[in-house]
Amino acid sequence: MTMVNAFDPNRASGLEAGDAALIEHRSKVLGPAYRLFYEEPLHLVRGEGVWLYDNKGRAYLDAYNNVASVGHCHPKVVEAVTRQLGTLNTHTRYLHERVVAYADRLLGTMPDALGHMMFTCTGSEANDLALRIARSFTGRQGVIVTSLAYHGVTEAVSEISPSLGGFVPRGPRVRLIPAPNALTVPPAEQGAKLAADLAAAIAAMRADGIEPAAFIVDTIFSSDGLYPDPAGFLKPAVDLVRAEGGVFIADEVQPGFARTGDAFWGFQRHGLVPDMVTMGKPMGNGFPVAGVALRPDLVEEFGAKARYFNTFGGNPVACAAGMAVLDVIEEEGLQDNASTTGAFLKQGLKAIVAGRDDIGDVRGAGLFLAVECVEGGAPNARLAGHVVNHLRRNGVLISATGPGANILKIRPPLVLRRAEAERFVEAMQEALAAH
Amino acid sequence: MTMVNAFDPNRASGLEAGDAALIEHRSKVLGPAYRLFYEEPLHLVRGEGVWLYDNKGRAYLDAYNNVASVGHCHPKVVEAVTRQLGTLNTHTRYLHERVVAYADRLLGTMPDALGHMMFTCTGSEANDLALRIARSFTGRQGVIVTSLAYHGVTEAVSEISPSLGGFVPRGPRVRLIPAPNALTVPPAEQGAKLAADLAAAIAAMRADGIEPAAFIVDTIFSSDGLYPDPAGFLKPAVDLVRAEGGVFIADEVQPGFARTGDAFWGFQRHGLVPDMVTMGKPMGNGFPVAGVALRPDLVEEFGAKARYFNTFGGNPVACAAGMAVLDVIEEEGLQDNASTTGAFLKQGLKAIVAGRDDIGDVRGAGLFLAVECVEGGAPNARLAGHVVNHLRRNGVLISATGPGANILKIRPPLVLRRAEAERFVEAMQEALAAH
């Protein structure tokens, strides 16, 4: 599918001369696979907390970027990275205390069954490694994902990322099931429906001679349109894939690290224990670090016979960044803040859309919210596009997602406070009023 | 195959109590897929230039690590990363000048035919992306690599990395050809033999209904045992794969960024223009950054229909690190140094092994050298293991490689100077004398 909220150079108008030249130069050297956000791309030069600043000094309230999760350029993370960069930066084939301490600390946030932590640089690599281990352990190839899933960009994980569109190959070993749907499926039936769809996909796969190795989901279904509720609905499907001999991989690249407020990891909201948990984006507040937590028995044979080395993965600097992020989340009470400011934000949004027939739903968990734009029950991509670009012109950043390109995706750094949430709601009201 | 120079916990003896406990804790939390180097693992705490320091304050001359290529903790790289980390760290969906300038500068080191630069975080991701694009462009699946190639750890590139051993799946779309061999193939025949082996692999692949999409090699054959000479021998094979409708991918993760002294990229020594060039390890002196330079036509359809986004790839901090590395290579004349100090080192090594019947060859280009340990013409892994561990105890770091685990791999940071090269030769002499 076409990327939601992508800049279209053929419809560009009113670009400042310097930016137009930069866009042209960029296109020449980076080529056609790169996309920019917004009808009018944003030329950023500085960031601090929840604020980003463009080349003309204008401030933007960032309500979209989950990578700089503890705030853009957090001084504590910058300092930790700087100190370690100037001291030692090697790799995991030498002994170093911090990679052990960091793995220990991450595992401390997990159920006891997840006993090992392996480091990569990106969420794509983490999901790719999880698939390699799942396939090796089960001796099977099949993977089931939701219909607009996104799990990354390596060959193996792009195959399980239908949100990249139909041009990206998806072989017979991958099957899609419908994502949850807040508008058409009653909440109490969400869990049973997901499990029934999974059972059907497994049966169809088996009819082609392929056995299920893994069921993998983003535990908040970010690219499908954000479906956090009712918490617990994932469990029947997870129980099912295990009963069928496959493993369950919780992709926590988006929901993880305290974003949902009520839990540190998205799977915890569903009252289940995954076989593997993959993580990335906010883990180093922008420093490239990611990883997989997993059940020790899954990697026993793989570890002995295949080994795993990732040159930069888990190096002393990556671990310094990751440790600093965990410190800041604790010290600044960011999980609590995600919960309280998130609830405040959701209430504010619900209040301003009350009575509007072009908003089908406001949902979310913590500081990860969705506003669904509709028109007679159908997706309303035009309204979503209007809101995203109106907000951008008005100094507030979000994006949109979902199969109908109609679901506003609101995912600010976790340091968003009440006054900024108020400003956000006000800007949303202005955007909706202008439609 | 078993990893050369891996620590064996079952044969550990004489470990200091603190290190023994750390190794045990590490094994518990990181699991069995991780390996440490050396009979007695090294517990490093600090690095500077070509020197690494352990937790007891002992200095080691680093003659192995090519990631910290401009020297451990180079202040200019640390400063550039620190400055950008404290200013802005977003991603490529916002306009930023540096990613364009950096791509431009990298492309400036390449033949004109390579017009686009795409960024990833790791060499694995770069090779994985190159394969995706090659397969998409050619509409074919087959890939040919050398028999002990290493191209990374994602599912797709582990499939073309036979050096990871037989447990890692290698499907019918991957074929192996013998690597060059300095002892059994006369230099003048190296090129014709490689092309003939490639032709045979393509024919065998076609007999199974698989067409060749790509031929990919590390242009200095690092994991196969280091085969730089005679420069130019790669060209007939590259011409052949193109004539057969496939593309040639030069994996420059190890030879790139001035290491070979006589060229900035390994492929340049062979007088050829690749269709794609992948790069990584030394690119950010330890900051995770990697990428692919490629012919624009290869990515035209892929870019329009599949797009490519890598969350951390080419972010402002990664580009700051990469720019600083290019600055240092230029300002400190490191390509020239690789050439002159590398030649001096090779001469010194040749001098001390002259007349020894247990050293079959000393070869290399710039600061990437190999010393081949033999016994009656066969690989002598015992001698290689002795030298590697004797050097380590004597304060000098190298490792070993090759199918017989008998080829010493000498690959210091590019800032190695003459006095340190002399120290290295002296330590090698001591190690050989002690055998």
Side-chain angles (χ1 to χ4, degrees), chain B residues 383-433:
Chain B
L383 175 58
H386 159 80
V387 171
V388 166
N389 285 288
H390 188 281
L391 285 173
R392 179 251 178 269
R393 289 191 300 271
N394 201 7
V396 175
L397 308 180
I398 65 164
S399 193
T401 188
N406 65 315
I407 299 168
L408 303 174
K409 190 174 176 183
I410 302 158
R411 193 186 52 179
L414 300 185
V415 290
L416 187 93
R417 301 294 174 176
R418 197 170 170 124
E420 292 139 356
E422 281 169 353
R423 168 66 198 129
F424 181 83
V425 173
E426 195 179 272
M428 275 288 286
Q429 197 162 22
E430 289 157 9
L432 289 170

Short mmCIF file of all heavy atoms in Angstrom, two decimals, chain B residues 383-433:
data_model
loop_
_atom_site.label_atom_id
_atom_site.label_comp_id
_atom_site.label_asym_id
_atom_site.label_seq_id
_atom_site.Cartn_x
_atom_site.Cartn_y
_atom_site.Cartn_z
N LEU B 383 49.42 -24.40 15.68
CA LEU B 383 50.37 -23.29 15.71
C LEU B 383 49.63 -21.95 15.74
O LEU B 383 49.99 -21.06 16.50
CB LEU B 383 51.30 -23.36 14.48
CG LEU B 383 52.27 -22.18 14.33
CD1 LEU B 383 53.17 -22.03 15.57
CD2 LEU B 383 53.14 -22.35 13.08
N ALA B 384 48.58 -21.83 14.91
CA ALA B 384 47.82 -20.57 14.89
C ALA B 384 47.24 -20.27 16.27
O ALA B 384 47.34 -19.15 16.77
CB ALA B 384 46.71 -20.63 13.84
N GLY B 385 46.66 -21.30 16.89
CA GLY B 385 46.09 -21.12 18.23
C GLY B 385 47.15 -20.74 19.25
O GLY B 385 46.93 -19.87 20.11
N HIS B 386 48.31 -21.37 19.13
CA HIS B 386 49.42 -21.02 20.04
C HIS B 386 49.81 -19.55 19.87
O HIS B 386 49.96 -18.82 20.86
CB HIS B 386 50.63 -21.92 19.76
CG HIS B 386 51.92 -21.34 20.25
ND1 HIS B 386 52.32 -21.39 21.57
CD2 HIS B 386 52.87 -20.61 19.59
CE1 HIS B 386 53.47 -20.74 21.71
NE2 HIS B 386 53.84 -20.27 20.52
N VAL B 387 49.98 -19.12 18.63
CA VAL B 387 50.43 -17.74 18.38
C VAL B 387 49.39 -16.74 18.91
O VAL B 387 49.73 -15.79 19.61
CB VAL B 387 50.70 -17.51 16.88
CG1 VAL B 387 50.95 -16.02 16.60
CG2 VAL B 387 51.88 -18.34 16.41
N VAL B 388 48.11 -16.98 18.58
CA VAL B 388 47.04 -16.05 18.99
C VAL B 388 47.03 -15.89 20.52
O VAL B 388 46.98 -14.78 21.05
CB VAL B 388 45.66 -16.54 18.50
CG1 VAL B 388 44.52 -15.80 19.18
CG2 VAL B 388 45.56 -16.38 16.98
N ASN B 389 47.14 -17.01 21.22
CA ASN B 389 47.04 -16.94 22.68
C ASN B 389 48.35 -16.51 23.34
O ASN B 389 48.34 -15.87 24.39
CB ASN B 389 46.53 -18.28 23.23
CG ASN B 389 45.04 -18.43 22.98
OD1 ASN B 389 44.22 -17.75 23.60
ND2 ASN B 389 44.67 -19.27 22.01
N HIS B 390 49.48 -16.83 22.72
CA HIS B 390 50.76 -16.33 23.23
C HIS B 390 50.80 -14.81 23.11
O HIS B 390 51.19 -14.11 24.05
CB HIS B 390 51.92 -16.97 22.46
CG HIS B 390 53.27 -16.66 23.04
ND1 HIS B 390 53.92 -15.45 22.84
CD2 HIS B 390 54.09 -17.39 23.86
CE1 HIS B 390 55.08 -15.46 23.47
NE2 HIS B 390 55.21 -16.63 24.11
N LEU B 391 50.40 -14.32 21.96
CA LEU B 391 50.35 -12.87 21.76
C LEU B 391 49.44 -12.22 22.80
O LEU B 391 49.78 -11.20 23.39
CB LEU B 391 49.84 -12.53 20.35
CG LEU B 391 50.80 -12.75 19.18
CD1 LEU B 391 50.07 -12.53 17.86
CD2 LEU B 391 52.01 -11.81 19.27
N ARG B 392 48.27 -12.81 23.01
CA ARG B 392 47.32 -12.24 23.98
C ARG B 392 47.96 -12.16 25.37
O ARG B 392 47.84 -11.14 26.05
CB ARG B 392 46.05 -13.09 24.00
CG ARG B 392 44.98 -12.63 24.99
CD ARG B 392 44.88 -13.61 26.16
NE ARG B 392 43.92 -13.20 27.17
CZ ARG B 392 44.24 -12.44 28.23
NH1 ARG B 392 45.45 -11.98 28.40
NH2 ARG B 392 43.30 -12.14 29.12
N ARG B 393 48.64 -13.21 25.78
CA ARG B 393 49.29 -13.19 27.09
C ARG B 393 50.43 -12.18 27.12
O ARG B 393 50.75 -11.62 28.16
CB ARG B 393 49.82 -14.59 27.44
CG ARG B 393 48.71 -15.60 27.77
CD ARG B 393 49.27 -16.89 28.37
NE ARG B 393 50.20 -17.56 27.45
CZ ARG B 393 49.82 -18.47 26.53
NH1 ARG B 393 48.55 -18.82 26.41
NH2 ARG B 393 50.72 -19.02 25.74
N ASN B 394 50.96 -11.92 25.93
CA ASN B 394 52.10 -11.00 25.80
C ASN B 394 51.63 -9.57 25.49
O ASN B 394 52.41 -8.70 25.17
CB ASN B 394 53.01 -11.54 24.68
CG ASN B 394 54.43 -11.01 24.77
OD1 ASN B 394 54.80 -10.35 25.74
ND2 ASN B 394 55.22 -11.28 23.75
N GLY B 395 50.33 -9.34 25.53
CA GLY B 395 49.82 -7.97 25.36
C GLY B 395 49.60 -7.53 23.93
O GLY B 395 49.67 -6.33 23.63
N VAL B 396 49.32 -8.46 23.04
CA VAL B 396 49.06 -8.11 21.64
C VAL B 396 47.84 -8.91 21.15
O VAL B 396 47.76 -10.12 21.36
CB VAL B 396 50.28 -8.44 20.75
CG1 VAL B 396 49.96 -8.18 19.28
CG2 VAL B 396 51.50 -7.61 21.18
N LEU B 397 46.91 -8.23 20.48
CA LEU B 397 45.65 -8.87 20.09
C LEU B 397 45.53 -9.10 18.59
O LEU B 397 45.59 -8.16 17.80
CB LEU B 397 44.46 -8.02 20.55
CG LEU B 397 44.45 -7.62 22.03
CD1 LEU B 397 43.22 -6.78 22.34
CD2 LEU B 397 44.54 -8.84 22.93
N ILE B 398 45.35 -10.40 18.22
CA ILE B 398 44.95 -10.75 16.85
C ILE B 398 43.95 -11.89 16.97
O ILE B 398 43.55 -12.27 18.06
CB ILE B 398 46.14 -11.18 15.94
CG1 ILE B 398 46.76 -12.49 16.46
CG2 ILE B 398 47.17 -10.08 15.84
CD1 ILE B 398 47.67 -13.17 15.42
N SER B 399 43.54 -12.46 15.82
CA SER B 399 42.74 -13.68 15.85
C SER B 399 43.15 -14.54 14.66
O SER B 399 44.15 -14.26 13.99
CB SER B 399 41.25 -13.35 15.83
OG SER B 399 40.49 -14.50 16.17
N ALA B 400 42.38 -15.60 14.41
CA ALA B 400 42.70 -16.50 13.30
C ALA B 400 41.45 -16.77 12.49
O ALA B 400 40.33 -16.52 12.94
CB ALA B 400 43.29 -17.81 13.81
N THR B 401 41.64 -17.25 11.26
CA THR B 401 40.51 -17.46 10.36
C THR B 401 40.83 -18.57 9.36
O THR B 401 41.86 -19.22 9.48
CB THR B 401 40.16 -16.13 9.65
OG1 THR B 401 38.95 -16.28 8.92
CG2 THR B 401 41.26 -15.71 8.69
N GLY B 402 39.93 -18.75 8.40
CA GLY B 402 40.16 -19.73 7.33
C GLY B 402 39.56 -21.09 7.65
O GLY B 402 39.30 -21.40 8.81
N PRO B 403 39.36 -21.91 6.61
CA PRO B 403 38.71 -23.22 6.81
C PRO B 403 39.52 -24.15 7.70
O PRO B 403 38.97 -25.01 8.36
CB PRO B 403 38.60 -23.76 5.38
CG PRO B 403 39.54 -22.96 4.55
CD PRO B 403 39.69 -21.64 5.21
N GLY B 404 40.82 -23.94 7.76
CA GLY B 404 41.65 -24.78 8.60
C GLY B 404 41.98 -24.14 9.94
O GLY B 404 42.78 -24.67 10.71
N ALA B 405 41.38 -22.98 10.23
CA ALA B 405 41.61 -22.25 11.49
C ALA B 405 43.10 -21.98 11.70
O ALA B 405 43.57 -21.89 12.82
CB ALA B 405 41.04 -23.03 12.69
N ASN B 406 43.80 -21.83 10.59
CA ASN B 406 45.27 -21.76 10.66
C ASN B 406 45.84 -20.46 10.14
O ASN B 406 47.05 -20.32 10.01
CB ASN B 406 45.86 -22.91 9.83
CG ASN B 406 45.53 -22.75 8.35
OD1 ASN B 406 44.38 -22.45 8.00
ND2 ASN B 406 46.51 -22.93 7.49
N ILE B 407 44.96 -19.52 9.79
CA ILE B 407 45.45 -18.30 9.16
C ILE B 407 45.33 -17.14 10.14
O ILE B 407 44.22 -16.77 10.56
CB ILE B 407 44.67 -18.02 7.86
CG1 ILE B 407 44.89 -19.18 6.88
CG2 ILE B 407 45.08 -16.69 7.26
CD1 ILE B 407 43.96 -19.17 5.69
N LEU B 408 46.47 -16.60 10.55
CA LEU B 408 46.46 -15.48 11.50
C LEU B 408 45.91 -14.24 10.81
O LEU B 408 46.29 -13.92 9.68
CB LEU B 408 47.88 -15.22 12.02
CG LEU B 408 48.56 -16.42 12.69
CD1 LEU B 408 50.01 -16.08 13.03
CD2 LEU B 408 47.79 -16.85 13.94
N LYS B 409 45.00 -13.57 11.48
CA LYS B 409 44.29 -12.42 10.91
C LYS B 409 44.77 -11.17 11.65
O LYS B 409 44.49 -11.02 12.84
CB LYS B 409 42.80 -12.64 11.11
CG LYS B 409 41.87 -11.68 10.40
CD LYS B 409 40.42 -12.15 10.61
CE LYS B 409 39.41 -11.19 10.02
NZ LYS B 409 38.02 -11.65 10.30
N ILE B 410 45.45 -10.31 10.93
CA ILE B 410 46.08 -9.13 11.53
C ILE B 410 45.45 -7.89 10.89
O ILE B 410 45.59 -7.65 9.69
CB ILE B 410 47.61 -9.17 11.28
CG1 ILE B 410 48.19 -10.46 11.88
CG2 ILE B 410 48.28 -7.92 11.86
CD1 ILE B 410 49.52 -10.86 11.28
N ARG B 411 44.72 -7.13 11.70
CA ARG B 411 43.86 -6.09 11.15
C ARG B 411 43.71 -4.95 12.15
O ARG B 411 42.65 -4.69 12.67
CB ARG B 411 42.50 -6.77 10.88
CG ARG B 411 41.52 -6.04 10.04
CD ARG B 411 40.20 -6.82 10.02
NE ARG B 411 39.75 -7.12 11.38
CZ ARG B 411 38.63 -7.78 11.70
NH1 ARG B 411 37.83 -8.23 10.77
NH2 ARG B 411 38.29 -8.01 12.95
N PRO B 412 44.81 -4.25 12.41
CA PRO B 412 44.79 -3.21 13.46
C PRO B 412 44.02 -1.96 13.04
O PRO B 412 43.77 -1.76 11.84
CB PRO B 412 46.27 -2.88 13.63
CG PRO B 412 46.88 -3.17 12.29
CD PRO B 412 46.11 -4.36 11.75
N PRO B 413 43.66 -1.12 14.00
CA PRO B 413 43.16 0.21 13.63
C PRO B 413 44.15 0.88 12.68
O PRO B 413 45.36 0.62 12.73
CB PRO B 413 43.10 0.94 14.98
CG PRO B 413 42.90 -0.15 16.00
CD PRO B 413 43.68 -1.32 15.46
N LEU B 414 43.64 1.73 11.80
CA LEU B 414 44.48 2.34 10.75
C LEU B 414 45.48 3.34 11.30
O LEU B 414 46.30 3.86 10.54
CB LEU B 414 43.59 3.03 9.71
CG LEU B 414 42.57 2.15 8.98
CD1 LEU B 414 41.85 2.96 7.90
CD2 LEU B 414 43.25 0.93 8.35
N VAL B 415 45.42 3.63 12.58
CA VAL B 415 46.35 4.59 13.18
C VAL B 415 47.61 3.91 13.71
O VAL B 415 48.44 4.54 14.36
CB VAL B 415 45.68 5.41 14.32
CG1 VAL B 415 44.67 6.38 13.72
CG2 VAL B 415 45.02 4.51 15.35
N LEU B 416 47.76 2.62 13.44
CA LEU B 416 48.98 1.92 13.85
C LEU B 416 50.19 2.58 13.19
O LEU B 416 50.20 2.78 11.97
CB LEU B 416 48.91 0.45 13.40
CG LEU B 416 50.05 -0.44 13.91
CD1 LEU B 416 49.66 -1.12 15.21
CD2 LEU B 416 50.41 -1.51 12.86
N ARG B 417 51.19 2.93 14.00
CA ARG B 417 52.39 3.58 13.44
C ARG B 417 53.59 2.63 13.52
O ARG B 417 53.51 1.56 14.09
CB ARG B 417 52.67 4.90 14.19
CG ARG B 417 51.53 5.91 14.13
CD ARG B 417 51.27 6.44 12.71
NE ARG B 417 50.07 7.30 12.67
CZ ARG B 417 49.66 7.95 11.58
NH1 ARG B 417 50.32 7.83 10.44
NH2 ARG B 417 48.58 8.69 11.63
N ARG B 418 54.69 3.12 12.96
CA ARG B 418 55.87 2.28 12.77
C ARG B 418 56.38 1.63 14.07
O ARG B 418 56.70 0.44 14.08
CB ARG B 418 56.97 3.15 12.15
CG ARG B 418 58.07 2.37 11.54
CD ARG B 418 58.98 3.29 10.74
NE ARG B 418 60.18 2.57 10.35
CZ ARG B 418 60.57 2.45 9.09
NH1 ARG B 418 59.89 3.01 8.12
NH2 ARG B 418 61.67 1.79 8.80
N ALA B 419 56.44 2.40 15.14
CA ALA B 419 56.96 1.85 16.40
C ALA B 419 56.08 0.70 16.89
O ALA B 419 56.56 -0.31 17.40
CB ALA B 419 57.04 2.94 17.46
N GLU B 420 54.78 0.87 16.71
CA GLU B 420 53.85 -0.17 17.16
C GLU B 420 53.93 -1.39 16.24
O GLU B 420 53.80 -2.53 16.69
CB GLU B 420 52.42 0.39 17.20
CG GLU B 420 52.26 1.44 18.29
CD GLU B 420 51.42 2.64 17.89
OE1 GLU B 420 51.00 2.73 16.72
OE2 GLU B 420 51.21 3.51 18.75
N ALA B 421 54.16 -1.13 14.95
CA ALA B 421 54.35 -2.24 14.01
C ALA B 421 55.61 -3.02 14.40
O ALA B 421 55.63 -4.26 14.34
CB ALA B 421 54.45 -1.72 12.59
N GLU B 422 56.65 -2.30 14.82
CA GLU B 422 57.88 -2.98 15.26
C GLU B 422 57.61 -3.84 16.49
O GLU B 422 58.08 -4.97 16.59
CB GLU B 422 58.97 -1.95 15.58
CG GLU B 422 59.66 -1.44 14.32
CD GLU B 422 60.57 -0.23 14.56
OE1 GLU B 422 60.55 0.32 15.69
OE2 GLU B 422 61.26 0.18 13.61
N ARG B 423 56.85 -3.28 17.41
CA ARG B 423 56.50 -4.03 18.62
C ARG B 423 55.72 -5.30 18.23
O ARG B 423 55.94 -6.37 18.80
CB ARG B 423 55.67 -3.15 19.57
CG ARG B 423 54.99 -3.87 20.72
CD ARG B 423 56.00 -4.45 21.72
NE ARG B 423 55.38 -5.47 22.58
CZ ARG B 423 55.86 -6.68 22.79
NH1 ARG B 423 57.01 -7.05 22.24
NH2 ARG B 423 55.25 -7.53 23.58
N PHE B 424 54.83 -5.14 17.24
CA PHE B 424 54.04 -6.30 16.82
C PHE B 424 54.93 -7.41 16.25
O PHE B 424 54.78 -8.59 16.60
CB PHE B 424 52.99 -5.88 15.78
CG PHE B 424 52.13 -7.03 15.34
CD1 PHE B 424 51.04 -7.42 16.10
CD2 PHE B 424 52.45 -7.77 14.21
CE1 PHE B 424 50.28 -8.52 15.75
CE2 PHE B 424 51.68 -8.87 13.84
CZ PHE B 424 50.59 -9.24 14.61
N VAL B 425 55.86 -7.03 15.40
CA VAL B 425 56.74 -8.01 14.78
C VAL B 425 57.58 -8.74 15.84
O VAL B 425 57.74 -9.97 15.82
CB VAL B 425 57.64 -7.34 13.72
CG1 VAL B 425 58.69 -8.32 13.19
CG2 VAL B 425 56.80 -6.80 12.56
N GLU B 426 58.05 -7.96 16.79
CA GLU B 426 58.84 -8.50 17.90
C GLU B 426 58.01 -9.54 18.68
O GLU B 426 58.49 -10.64 18.98
CB GLU B 426 59.17 -7.31 18.81
CG GLU B 426 60.23 -7.48 19.83
CD GLU B 426 60.38 -6.12 20.57
OE1 GLU B 426 61.16 -5.27 20.09
OE2 GLU B 426 59.68 -5.92 21.59
N ALA B 427 56.74 -9.18 18.96
CA ALA B 427 55.88 -10.10 19.72
C ALA B 427 55.58 -11.37 18.92
O ALA B 427 55.51 -12.46 19.48
CB ALA B 427 54.58 -9.39 20.10
N MET B 428 55.44 -11.22 17.60
CA MET B 428 55.23 -12.39 16.74
C MET B 428 56.45 -13.30 16.80
O MET B 428 56.33 -14.53 16.86
CB MET B 428 55.00 -11.94 15.29
CG MET B 428 53.59 -11.58 14.96
SD MET B 428 52.49 -13.04 14.89
CE MET B 428 53.03 -13.76 13.33
N GLN B 429 57.61 -12.66 16.78
CA GLN B 429 58.84 -13.44 16.83
C GLN B 429 58.92 -14.23 18.15
O GLN B 429 59.27 -15.41 18.16
CB GLN B 429 60.03 -12.49 16.72
CG GLN B 429 61.33 -13.16 16.36
CD GLN B 429 62.37 -12.18 15.84
OE1 GLN B 429 62.29 -10.98 16.11
NE2 GLN B 429 63.34 -12.67 15.10
N GLU B 430 58.54 -13.57 19.23
CA GLU B 430 58.54 -14.24 20.54
C GLU B 430 57.55 -15.41 20.55
O GLU B 430 57.84 -16.48 21.07
CB GLU B 430 58.18 -13.23 21.65
CG GLU B 430 59.29 -12.20 21.91
CD GLU B 430 58.79 -10.90 22.56
OE1 GLU B 430 57.61 -10.85 22.98
OE2 GLU B 430 59.58 -9.95 22.63
N ALA B 431 56.38 -15.18 19.95
CA ALA B 431 55.35 -16.23 19.93
C ALA B 431 55.82 -17.43 19.12
O ALA B 431 55.65 -18.59 19.53
CB ALA B 431 54.05 -15.68 19.36
N LEU B 432 56.42 -17.17 17.96
CA LEU B 432 56.90 -18.26 17.11
C LEU B 432 58.06 -18.99 17.78
O LEU B 432 58.15 -20.23 17.73
CB LEU B 432 57.31 -17.73 15.73
CG LEU B 432 56.15 -17.27 14.83
CD1 LEU B 432 56.67 -16.52 13.61
CD2 LEU B 432 55.29 -18.47 14.39
N ALA B 433 58.92 -18.23 18.44
CA ALA B 433 60.07 -18.83 19.11
C ALA B 433 59.63 -19.74 20.24
O ALA B 433 60.30 -20.73 20.57
CB ALA B 433 61.00 -17.73 19.64
#
